[in-house]
Short mmCIF file of all heavy atoms in Angstrom, two decimals:
data_model
loop_
_atom_site.label_atom_id
_atom_site.label_comp_id
_atom_site.label_asym_id
_atom_site.label_seq_id
_atom_site.Cartn_x
_atom_site.Cartn_y
_atom_site.Cartn_z
N PRO R 1 1.39 1.73 10.67
CA PRO R 1 2.38 0.66 10.55
C PRO R 1 1.72 -0.68 10.25
O PRO R 1 0.50 -0.84 10.40
CB PRO R 1 3.05 0.65 11.93
CG PRO R 1 2.77 1.99 12.51
CD PRO R 1 1.42 2.39 11.98
N ALA R 2 2.51 -1.65 9.86
CA ALA R 2 2.01 -2.98 9.53
C ALA R 2 1.42 -3.67 10.75
O ALA R 2 1.92 -3.53 11.86
CB ALA R 2 3.14 -3.83 8.96
N CYS R 3 0.34 -4.41 10.51
CA CYS R 3 -0.29 -5.21 11.57
C CYS R 3 -0.17 -6.70 11.25
O CYS R 3 -0.71 -7.53 11.97
CB CYS R 3 -1.76 -4.85 11.71
SG CYS R 3 -2.04 -3.19 12.35
N ILE R 4 0.54 -7.01 10.17
CA ILE R 4 0.67 -8.40 9.72
C ILE R 4 2.15 -8.77 9.68
O ILE R 4 2.98 -8.01 9.18
CB ILE R 4 0.07 -8.59 8.31
CG1 ILE R 4 -1.44 -8.32 8.33
CG2 ILE R 4 0.35 -9.99 7.79
CD1 ILE R 4 -2.08 -8.39 6.95
N GLU R 5 2.46 -9.93 10.21
CA GLU R 5 3.79 -10.50 10.09
C GLU R 5 3.66 -11.82 9.33
O GLU R 5 3.05 -12.76 9.81
CB GLU R 5 4.42 -10.74 11.46
CG GLU R 5 4.77 -9.46 12.20
CD GLU R 5 5.53 -9.74 13.48
OE1 GLU R 5 5.93 -10.91 13.68
OE2 GLU R 5 5.70 -8.80 14.28
N HIS R 6 4.20 -11.85 8.13
CA HIS R 6 4.06 -13.04 7.28
C HIS R 6 5.18 -13.02 6.25
O HIS R 6 5.58 -11.95 5.77
CB HIS R 6 2.69 -13.03 6.58
CG HIS R 6 2.31 -14.32 5.94
ND1 HIS R 6 2.85 -14.74 4.75
CD2 HIS R 6 1.42 -15.28 6.33
CE1 HIS R 6 2.32 -15.90 4.42
NE2 HIS R 6 1.46 -16.25 5.35
N ALA R 7 5.67 -14.19 5.90
CA ALA R 7 6.78 -14.28 4.95
C ALA R 7 6.44 -13.70 3.59
O ALA R 7 7.32 -13.21 2.87
CB ALA R 7 7.21 -15.74 4.80
N HIS R 8 5.15 -13.74 3.21
CA HIS R 8 4.74 -13.25 1.89
C HIS R 8 4.09 -11.87 1.96
O HIS R 8 3.41 -11.47 1.02
CB HIS R 8 3.78 -14.24 1.24
CG HIS R 8 4.48 -15.44 0.67
ND1 HIS R 8 3.80 -16.51 0.12
CD2 HIS R 8 5.80 -15.74 0.59
CE1 HIS R 8 4.68 -17.42 -0.28
NE2 HIS R 8 5.89 -16.97 0.00
N TYR R 9 4.32 -11.17 3.09
CA TYR R 9 3.71 -9.84 3.23
C TYR R 9 4.80 -8.78 3.34
O TYR R 9 5.77 -8.92 4.09
CB TYR R 9 2.83 -9.77 4.48
CG TYR R 9 2.16 -8.42 4.67
CD1 TYR R 9 1.02 -8.09 3.96
CD2 TYR R 9 2.70 -7.48 5.56
CE1 TYR R 9 0.40 -6.84 4.13
CE2 TYR R 9 2.09 -6.23 5.73
CZ TYR R 9 0.95 -5.93 5.01
OH TYR R 9 0.35 -4.71 5.17
N ARG R 10 4.63 -7.71 2.56
CA ARG R 10 5.50 -6.55 2.70
C ARG R 10 4.60 -5.33 2.87
O ARG R 10 3.47 -5.30 2.37
CB ARG R 10 6.43 -6.38 1.50
CG ARG R 10 5.75 -6.11 0.20
CD ARG R 10 6.73 -6.23 -0.98
NE ARG R 10 7.76 -5.21 -0.92
CZ ARG R 10 7.66 -4.03 -1.51
NH1 ARG R 10 6.55 -3.71 -2.18
NH2 ARG R 10 8.63 -3.15 -1.43
N HIS R 11 5.10 -4.33 3.58
CA HIS R 11 4.27 -3.19 3.94
C HIS R 11 4.89 -1.89 3.47
O HIS R 11 6.10 -1.69 3.58
CB HIS R 11 4.08 -3.15 5.46
CG HIS R 11 3.03 -2.18 5.91
ND1 HIS R 11 1.68 -2.46 5.85
CD2 HIS R 11 3.12 -0.94 6.44
CE1 HIS R 11 0.99 -1.45 6.32
NE2 HIS R 11 1.84 -0.49 6.67
N VAL R 12 4.04 -1.04 2.93
CA VAL R 12 4.44 0.31 2.54
C VAL R 12 3.64 1.28 3.39
O VAL R 12 2.41 1.33 3.29
CB VAL R 12 4.17 0.58 1.05
CG1 VAL R 12 4.57 2.02 0.69
CG2 VAL R 12 4.91 -0.42 0.17
N GLN R 13 4.32 2.02 4.24
CA GLN R 13 3.63 3.01 5.08
C GLN R 13 3.62 4.34 4.33
O GLN R 13 4.65 4.98 4.13
CB GLN R 13 4.33 3.15 6.43
CG GLN R 13 3.53 4.00 7.42
CD GLN R 13 4.07 3.91 8.84
OE1 GLN R 13 4.96 3.13 9.14
NE2 GLN R 13 3.54 4.75 9.71
N ASP R 14 2.44 4.72 3.88
CA ASP R 14 2.31 5.91 3.05
C ASP R 14 0.91 6.50 3.22
O ASP R 14 -0.06 5.78 3.43
CB ASP R 14 2.55 5.55 1.58
CG ASP R 14 2.73 6.77 0.69
OD1 ASP R 14 2.98 7.87 1.22
OD2 ASP R 14 2.60 6.62 -0.54
N ASP R 15 0.83 7.81 3.14
CA ASP R 15 -0.45 8.51 3.24
C ASP R 15 -1.00 8.71 1.83
O ASP R 15 -0.49 9.52 1.06
CB ASP R 15 -0.24 9.86 3.93
CG ASP R 15 -1.55 10.61 4.15
OD1 ASP R 15 -2.61 10.12 3.70
OD2 ASP R 15 -1.51 11.68 4.77
N LEU R 16 -2.04 7.96 1.49
CA LEU R 16 -2.60 8.01 0.14
C LEU R 16 -3.39 9.29 -0.12
O LEU R 16 -3.86 9.50 -1.24
CB LEU R 16 -3.47 6.79 -0.12
CG LEU R 16 -2.71 5.47 -0.26
CD1 LEU R 16 -3.68 4.31 -0.43
CD2 LEU R 16 -1.74 5.53 -1.44
N SER R 17 -3.55 10.13 0.88
CA SER R 17 -4.19 11.42 0.63
C SER R 17 -3.18 12.42 0.05
O SER R 17 -3.54 13.52 -0.35
CB SER R 17 -4.79 12.00 1.92
OG SER R 17 -3.78 12.37 2.84
N GLY R 18 -1.91 12.00 -0.01
CA GLY R 18 -0.87 12.83 -0.60
C GLY R 18 -0.64 12.45 -2.05
O GLY R 18 -1.55 12.00 -2.74
N ASN R 19 0.62 12.56 -2.50
CA ASN R 19 0.90 12.28 -3.91
C ASN R 19 1.20 10.81 -4.17
O ASN R 19 1.32 10.40 -5.33
CB ASN R 19 2.06 13.16 -4.40
CG ASN R 19 3.31 13.02 -3.54
OD1 ASN R 19 3.54 12.00 -2.91
ND2 ASN R 19 4.11 14.08 -3.50
N GLY R 20 1.34 10.02 -3.11
CA GLY R 20 1.55 8.59 -3.28
C GLY R 20 2.91 8.20 -3.82
O GLY R 20 3.10 7.08 -4.31
N ASP R 21 3.88 9.11 -3.76
CA ASP R 21 5.20 8.83 -4.33
C ASP R 21 5.85 7.59 -3.74
O ASP R 21 6.44 6.78 -4.46
CB ASP R 21 6.13 10.03 -4.11
CG ASP R 21 5.83 11.18 -5.07
OD1 ASP R 21 5.04 10.95 -6.01
OD2 ASP R 21 6.35 12.28 -4.86
N GLU R 22 5.71 7.43 -2.43
CA GLU R 22 6.33 6.28 -1.75
C GLU R 22 5.72 4.98 -2.24
O GLU R 22 6.42 3.99 -2.48
CB GLU R 22 6.16 6.44 -0.24
CG GLU R 22 7.15 5.70 0.61
CD GLU R 22 8.58 6.11 0.38
OE1 GLU R 22 8.86 7.30 0.19
OE2 GLU R 22 9.44 5.20 0.37
N THR R 23 4.41 4.99 -2.41
CA THR R 23 3.72 3.79 -2.88
C THR R 23 4.10 3.45 -4.31
O THR R 23 4.43 2.30 -4.63
CB THR R 23 2.19 3.99 -2.80
OG1 THR R 23 1.82 4.22 -1.43
CG2 THR R 23 1.46 2.76 -3.31
N LEU R 24 4.07 4.43 -5.19
CA LEU R 24 4.41 4.20 -6.59
C LEU R 24 5.84 3.71 -6.75
O LEU R 24 6.13 2.81 -7.55
CB LEU R 24 4.19 5.47 -7.41
CG LEU R 24 2.73 5.92 -7.56
CD1 LEU R 24 2.67 7.22 -8.35
CD2 LEU R 24 1.89 4.84 -8.23
N LYS R 25 6.75 4.28 -5.98
CA LYS R 25 8.15 3.87 -6.03
C LYS R 25 8.30 2.42 -5.62
O LYS R 25 9.07 1.66 -6.22
CB LYS R 25 8.99 4.78 -5.14
CG LYS R 25 10.48 4.48 -5.18
CD LYS R 25 11.25 5.44 -4.29
CE LYS R 25 12.75 5.11 -4.30
NZ LYS R 25 13.52 6.04 -3.42
N SER R 26 7.57 2.01 -4.59
CA SER R 26 7.69 0.64 -4.08
C SER R 26 7.09 -0.38 -5.03
O SER R 26 7.41 -1.56 -4.97
CB SER R 26 7.01 0.54 -2.72
OG SER R 26 5.60 0.64 -2.85
N LEU R 27 6.19 0.07 -5.92
CA LEU R 27 5.51 -0.86 -6.83
C LEU R 27 6.18 -0.95 -8.20
O LEU R 27 5.81 -1.79 -9.01
CB LEU R 27 4.05 -0.43 -7.02
CG LEU R 27 3.17 -0.39 -5.77
CD1 LEU R 27 1.77 0.08 -6.14
CD2 LEU R 27 3.11 -1.76 -5.11
N GLU R 28 7.17 -0.10 -8.43
CA GLU R 28 7.78 0.01 -9.75
C GLU R 28 8.28 -1.32 -10.30
O GLU R 28 8.08 -1.65 -11.47
CB GLU R 28 8.95 1.01 -9.71
CG GLU R 28 8.52 2.46 -9.78
CD GLU R 28 9.70 3.40 -9.72
OE1 GLU R 28 10.84 2.92 -9.51
OE2 GLU R 28 9.50 4.62 -9.88
N LYS R 29 8.93 -2.12 -9.45
CA LYS R 29 9.57 -3.35 -9.92
C LYS R 29 8.78 -4.61 -9.58
O LYS R 29 9.28 -5.72 -9.76
CB LYS R 29 10.98 -3.43 -9.35
CG LYS R 29 11.88 -2.29 -9.82
CD LYS R 29 13.28 -2.43 -9.26
CE LYS R 29 14.16 -1.28 -9.73
NZ LYS R 29 15.55 -1.39 -9.20
N LEU R 30 7.57 -4.43 -9.08
CA LEU R 30 6.75 -5.58 -8.72
C LEU R 30 5.91 -6.04 -9.91
O LEU R 30 5.44 -5.22 -10.70
CB LEU R 30 5.83 -5.24 -7.55
CG LEU R 30 6.48 -4.96 -6.20
CD1 LEU R 30 5.39 -4.65 -5.17
CD2 LEU R 30 7.34 -6.12 -5.74
N ARG R 31 5.71 -7.33 -10.01
CA ARG R 31 4.76 -7.87 -10.99
C ARG R 31 3.46 -8.09 -10.25
O ARG R 31 3.31 -9.04 -9.48
CB ARG R 31 5.29 -9.19 -11.56
CG ARG R 31 6.54 -9.02 -12.41
CD ARG R 31 7.08 -10.36 -12.90
NE ARG R 31 6.07 -11.06 -13.69
CZ ARG R 31 6.22 -12.30 -14.14
NH1 ARG R 31 7.32 -12.97 -13.86
NH2 ARG R 31 5.29 -12.87 -14.87
N VAL R 32 2.53 -7.19 -10.47
CA VAL R 32 1.29 -7.19 -9.69
C VAL R 32 0.15 -7.83 -10.47
O VAL R 32 -0.12 -7.47 -11.62
CB VAL R 32 0.90 -5.74 -9.29
CG1 VAL R 32 -0.43 -5.73 -8.56
CG2 VAL R 32 1.99 -5.14 -8.41
N TYR R 33 -0.52 -8.76 -9.83
CA TYR R 33 -1.67 -9.43 -10.43
C TYR R 33 -2.98 -8.73 -10.07
O TYR R 33 -3.90 -8.65 -10.89
CB TYR R 33 -1.73 -10.88 -9.95
CG TYR R 33 -3.02 -11.59 -10.28
CD1 TYR R 33 -3.28 -12.02 -11.59
CD2 TYR R 33 -3.98 -11.84 -9.30
CE1 TYR R 33 -4.48 -12.66 -11.91
CE2 TYR R 33 -5.16 -12.49 -9.61
CZ TYR R 33 -5.41 -12.90 -10.91
OH TYR R 33 -6.58 -13.53 -11.22
N GLY R 34 -3.07 -8.22 -8.84
CA GLY R 34 -4.33 -7.64 -8.40
C GLY R 34 -4.18 -6.41 -7.53
O GLY R 34 -3.13 -6.16 -6.94
N LEU R 35 -5.24 -5.63 -7.49
CA LEU R 35 -5.32 -4.44 -6.63
C LEU R 35 -6.64 -4.45 -5.89
O LEU R 35 -7.70 -4.65 -6.50
CB LEU R 35 -5.22 -3.17 -7.48
CG LEU R 35 -5.63 -1.85 -6.79
CD1 LEU R 35 -4.65 -1.49 -5.68
CD2 LEU R 35 -5.73 -0.71 -7.82
N VAL R 36 -6.58 -4.27 -4.58
CA VAL R 36 -7.78 -4.07 -3.78
C VAL R 36 -7.63 -2.73 -3.07
O VAL R 36 -6.76 -2.57 -2.21
CB VAL R 36 -7.98 -5.19 -2.73
CG1 VAL R 36 -9.24 -4.92 -1.91
CG2 VAL R 36 -8.06 -6.55 -3.40
N HIS R 37 -8.45 -1.78 -3.45
CA HIS R 37 -8.38 -0.44 -2.85
C HIS R 37 -9.43 -0.36 -1.74
O HIS R 37 -10.60 -0.06 -1.99
CB HIS R 37 -8.61 0.63 -3.90
CG HIS R 37 -8.47 2.03 -3.37
ND1 HIS R 37 -7.41 2.43 -2.58
CD2 HIS R 37 -9.25 3.13 -3.53
CE1 HIS R 37 -7.56 3.71 -2.27
NE2 HIS R 37 -8.67 4.15 -2.83
N ALA R 38 -8.99 -0.64 -0.51
CA ALA R 38 -9.90 -0.65 0.63
C ALA R 38 -9.68 0.54 1.56
O ALA R 38 -10.44 0.72 2.52
CB ALA R 38 -9.74 -1.95 1.42
N ALA R 39 -8.66 1.33 1.30
CA ALA R 39 -8.40 2.49 2.15
C ALA R 39 -9.57 3.46 2.06
O ALA R 39 -10.11 3.70 0.98
CB ALA R 39 -7.11 3.19 1.72
N GLY R 40 -9.96 4.02 3.18
CA GLY R 40 -11.07 4.96 3.17
C GLY R 40 -11.23 5.68 4.49
O GLY R 40 -10.73 5.24 5.52
N VAL R 41 -11.92 6.79 4.44
CA VAL R 41 -12.24 7.57 5.63
C VAL R 41 -13.69 8.03 5.53
O VAL R 41 -14.24 8.11 4.43
CB VAL R 41 -11.32 8.79 5.81
CG1 VAL R 41 -9.89 8.36 6.06
CG2 VAL R 41 -11.39 9.69 4.59
N LEU R 42 -14.28 8.32 6.66
CA LEU R 42 -15.65 8.82 6.69
C LEU R 42 -15.70 10.09 7.52
O LEU R 42 -15.29 10.10 8.69
CB LEU R 42 -16.60 7.78 7.29
CG LEU R 42 -18.03 8.27 7.60
CD1 LEU R 42 -18.73 8.68 6.32
CD2 LEU R 42 -18.82 7.19 8.33
N ARG R 43 -16.18 11.15 6.91
CA ARG R 43 -16.43 12.41 7.61
C ARG R 43 -17.87 12.80 7.29
O ARG R 43 -18.30 12.70 6.14
CB ARG R 43 -15.47 13.51 7.14
CG ARG R 43 -14.00 13.18 7.35
CD ARG R 43 -13.62 13.19 8.83
NE ARG R 43 -12.20 12.99 9.01
CZ ARG R 43 -11.61 11.81 9.17
NH1 ARG R 43 -12.35 10.71 9.15
NH2 ARG R 43 -10.30 11.72 9.35
N VAL R 44 -18.60 13.22 8.30
CA VAL R 44 -20.02 13.52 8.11
C VAL R 44 -20.29 14.99 8.39
O VAL R 44 -19.52 15.67 9.07
CB VAL R 44 -20.90 12.64 9.02
CG1 VAL R 44 -20.66 11.17 8.74
CG2 VAL R 44 -20.64 12.95 10.50
N GLY R 45 -21.41 15.47 7.89
CA GLY R 45 -21.80 16.85 8.14
C GLY R 45 -22.97 17.25 7.24
O GLY R 45 -23.03 16.85 6.09
#
């Protein structure tokens, strides 16, 4: 869930390890200037 409360912030709760349908749908009508892909996981072995 969102950890930020701000007038200029909107949150999409979606698991990017899946097909990302929720994310893509939410971005369809947005005019986006930038993308920062910081999502990540670490598994070792």
